[in-house]
Amino acid sequence: MALFSKRVLTGTRSKALQQSGLDSFLKQSIHKDPTSSVYLGTMFEMQTMEALQTIGMDLSHVGGKGDRGVDLSGEWPLALSSTFAVPRLIVQCKRLQKGCSPDHLRSLVGTVVNMAHPTQPTIGILATLGHRPFTKELSGHFLSSQVPLGLAMVDENCLKSLVFNLPAQEILQGVVVTTRYTAAGDRVPVVTFKGQVIDIENKMCI
């Protein structure tokens, strides 16, 4: 079951992609400068949203003036057990050729703390370009933080990796994003719950 096939932004597109926020952005921006920082930043936000949606996250684009540091927000509706609390998600997208710094992570932490829901667990996700690994310093802050966090790497609109720190893992109760190879040799992300692959469409293990 190919849940995470990488989509191409040119040529023939699937019906799902034609209806996506990314496709809508590309159509609306046809006369804009594709090399501007605003264009590239917004496109990366849309690509990240689409990449995270492939693993079942229900997200909306927020980025813009007055976004309070939130580019994407929503939930991860994986009701896998009677004790599983669907987490609220806050995503910050950083399209930085030099990669993210601890300051970017601290900014996300502040946003999550300020916007945390009183009754629903909240996880903050920092997303960056897939070709630039997170530094040891940032990873150290990430692992030691008491705020539930995730680090995502996105290549175009394909999710390359997504890891969570311990507070986020405690919320997710055994949900893990890993990678596997298809019969064609493509490396794709897969969501598992306590070792079992999740059917994202039906929100159940298979």
Side-chain angles (χ1 to χ4, degrees):
M1 186 174 183
L3 294 175
F4 305 100
S5 58
K6 185 174 181 179
R7 298 165 179 165
V8 180
L9 300 184
T10 57
T12 303
R13 294 176 178 141
S14 68
K15 183 177 180 181
L17 182 55
Q18 290 174 356
Q19 297 173 343
S20 73
L22 174 58
D23 187 71
S24 176
F25 165 74
L26 292 173
K27 289 179 179 178
Q28 294 173 8
S29 305
I30 191 170
H31 297 300
K32 296 182 179 180
D33 180 6
T35 64
S36 72
S37 59
V38 173
Y39 180 96
L40 292 172
T42 305
M43 184 171 70
F44 182 64
E45 291 168 5
M46 294 297 186
Q47 290 174 329
T48 299
M49 180 171 69
E50 201 162 273
L52 294 175
Q53 285 173 335
T54 64
I55 59 170
M57 293 183 177
D58 184 5
L59 297 168
S60 299
H61 183 247
V62 182
K65 292 183 178 179
D67 62 15
R68 295 192 295 171
V70 180
D71 296 317
L72 310 172
S73 68
E75 296 180 335
W76 201 1
L78 300 175
L80 300 171
S81 71
S82 60
T83 61
F84 187 90
V86 172
R88 182 167 175 257
L89 304 172
I90 292 175
V91 185
Q92 289 186 352
C93 306
K94 303 296 181 183
R95 188 188 182 279
L96 303 171
Q97 296 298 330
K98 294 183 178 180
C100 293
S101 71
D103 285 342
H104 294 115
L105 191 68
R106 282 190 281 267
S107 173
L108 175 61
V109 168
T111 299
V112 173
V113 171
N114 290 332
M115 300 186 66
H117 195 277
T119 60
Q120 184 180 20
T122 302
I123 299 174
I125 297 175
L126 181 64
T128 189
L129 294 170
H131 67 271
R132 191 77 182 185
F134 293 101
T135 65
K136 290 183 178 180
E137 186 180 6
L138 185 146
S139 297
H141 284 279
F142 167 75
L143 293 173
S144 63
S145 177
Q146 298 304 305
V147 174
L149 300 171
L151 294 179
M153 299 180 70
V154 176
D155 180 10
E156 293 185 356
N157 57 327
C158 181
L159 182 61
K160 186 174 180 180
S161 68
L162 175 57
V163 295
F164 297 99
N165 66 0
L166 184 57
Q169 291 175 34
E170 291 174 351
I171 293 171
L172 295 174
Q173 298 184 15
V175 173
V176 175
V177 179
T178 183
T179 57
R180 295 186 181 181
Y181 287 93
T182 66
D186 296 323
R187 189 178 180 183
V188 295
V190 173
V191 184
T192 65
F193 178 59
K194 297 182 179 179
Q196 292 184 286
V197 176
I198 298 174
D199 178 346
I200 293 298
E201 184 175 348
N202 295 308
K203 307 294 190 301
M204 61 184 294
C205 295
I206 57 176

